[in-house]
Amino acid sequence: MILKPPPIVEKMLGIVRSSTVWRSFWRQGYPSNDENRALIMFNSLFLHLHPVKVKGHTLKITYTWGLGFIAFWLFVILTITGVVLMFFYVPSTTRAYQDIQALETTIPFGIVLRNMHRWAAHLMVLIVFLHMCRVFYTGGYKAPREWNWVVGVNMLVLTSMLSFTGYLLPWDDLAISAIKIGSQIAAVTPFIGQWVRGLMIGATPTEEVGQNALLRFYVLHVMILPIVLYLLIFFHFWRIRKDGGLSLPEKTAEEPADNGKKVLVN
Ligand code: HEM
């Protein structure tokens, strides 16, 4: 059922819609037919990221559980809270711990900010993992989506690296010990172990985790890894479109399963 506004409202809307200012915003007519509805998608910077048409089953919550989108929005929350945290944190071995203590005790809403960042981070690791399981169990990794699976694996690695690099930043005993262990694991890489350890923490084989490690982890955590992950996420979304939308369940009422076949590119 289409709800119609009262005639006076419709008349006023008609006047607004025929104005040049309105037309400069909305280049197509009112979305009352398929063509205009499609044009709205094409003409909007944000909406054009979505396909004009989607297969019905992809809207069913029990197919995807929305896990990919939840992972994406958690990453957006992490970015926003992370940027705000940067105003209160200096990556120095003499200040980092105090800065975190100040967030927990004196800075207004600092504890909320820090915990939003921490919990979103823990949750993102879990949700990305569950999303990967969903893709596996629905066969979403099969042709023609193998490449997007590979991209996804890289995103899982980046998510873990973000988690690991963030862990050192509070510079408390737990964090320092964790990175010591991590760097010792890196050091036993066959042949290039000491080099990998040196690259990771900026220390010679006789030196321990220190200022260089903190700075490296900080730059990786706030700049390099998030930028690469955002680029991969947008590539991931674009690939879903190019692979013809999401995979189909083995048997849907609408269409036969497409797994294993080439599907249309939109
Ligand atoms: C930051 C991490 C990730 C984000 C934000 C993300 C986002 C998404 C979104 C929004 C979708 C659409 C459907 C849905 O919500 O399930 C999707 C689909 C997909 N994702 Fe991810 N993803 C991530 C990680 C991964 C990982 C770790 C893998 C696999 C190793 C993966 C493989 C795939 C594949 C193959 C599809 C298409 C599935 C199908 O057609 O059924 N993604 N992803």
Side-chain angles (χ1 to χ4, degrees):
M1 190 183 73
I2 298 172
L3 283 177
K4 277 195 148 227
I8 176 76
V9 176
E10 221 167 315
K11 199 167 174 199
M12 282 164 71
L13 282 174
I15 296 168
V16 174
R17 281 185 205 128
S18 57
S19 74
T20 50
V21 177
W22 176 274
R23 280 167 180 282
S24 73
F25 272 124
W26 311 105
R27 298 192 177 276
Q28 68 292 311
Y30 195 68
S32 49
N33 57 47
D34 277 353
E35 192 190 345
N36 281 347
R37 279 193 277 269
L39 283 170
I40 283 186
M41 302 296 283
F42 291 136
N43 289 336
S44 155
L45 174 67
F46 295 108
L47 292 181
H48 95 276
L49 296 174
H50 293 275
V52 168
K53 286 182 181 175
V54 291
K55 293 169 199 153
H57 77 277
T58 57
L59 301 175
K60 230 178 140 193
I61 191 72
T62 49
Y63 188 63
T64 63
W65 295 102
L67 292 167
F69 282 102
I70 296 173
F72 172 70
W73 285 110
L74 283 171
F75 191 42
V76 171
I77 292 173
L78 282 162
T79 312
I80 297 169
T81 50
V83 168
V84 183
L85 280 172
M86 284 171 75
F87 287 113
F88 302 102
Y89 174 87
V90 178
S92 145
T93 50
T94 52
R95 270 201 60 176
Y97 183 72
Q98 287 167 27
D99 287 352
I100 298 292
Q101 290 307 305
L103 272 164
E104 293 273 332
T105 52
T106 50
I107 294 164
F109 298 104
I111 193 163
V112 178
L113 186 66
R114 182 179 183 215
N115 279 302
M116 275 178 75
H117 196 76
R118 276 175 79 92
W119 283 101
H122 295 325
L123 218 59
M124 183 170 167
V125 175
L126 177 71
I127 296 285
V128 170
F129 177 73
L130 291 178
H131 168 64
M132 187 176 72
C133 296
R134 188 291 287 173
V135 173
F136 180 75
Y137 283 117
T138 57
Y141 60 89
K142 293 181 194 168
R145 298 181 178 78
E146 305 95 318
W147 179 228
N148 219 12
W149 174 265
V150 174
V151 173
V153 171
N154 282 287
M155 282 155 62
L156 180 70
V157 172
L158 282 169
T159 307
S160 317
M161 284 173 77
L162 271 162
S163 196
F164 185 62
T165 50
Y167 200 75
L168 178 66
L169 304 185
W171 202 249
D172 51 14
D173 285 345
L174 198 62
I176 297 170
S177 306
I179 308 310
K180 269 187 192 162
I181 295 167
S183 65
Q184 278 159 13
I185 293 172
V188 293
T189 311
F191 309 115
I192 52 166
Q194 284 306 332
W195 179 79
V196 176
R197 181 182 176 273
L199 187 72
M200 187 174 160
I201 62 167
T204 61
T206 51
E207 282 170 351
E208 268 309 336
V209 171
Q211 178 61 58
N212 284 352
L214 182 57
L215 191 59
R216 277 173 199 216
F217 276 48
Y218 179 73
V219 174
L220 280 168
H221 188 78
V222 305
M223 234 176 81
I224 299 173
L225 297 174
I227 291 174
V228 179
L229 187 52
Y230 267 117
L231 291 175
L232 283 189
I233 287 178
F234 288 113
F235 184 66
H236 194 61
F237 290 173
W238 179 75
R239 277 306 326 172
I240 294 172
R241 299 267 316 259
K242 293 294 156 191
D243 293 337
L246 293 187
S247 58
L248 294 174
E250 272 305 306
K251 275 242 173 297
T252 51
E254 292 170 72
E255 293 151 284
D258 71 345
N259 290 332
K261 283 194 219 150
K262 278 260 168 278
V263 288
L264 66 140
V265 171
N266 59 353

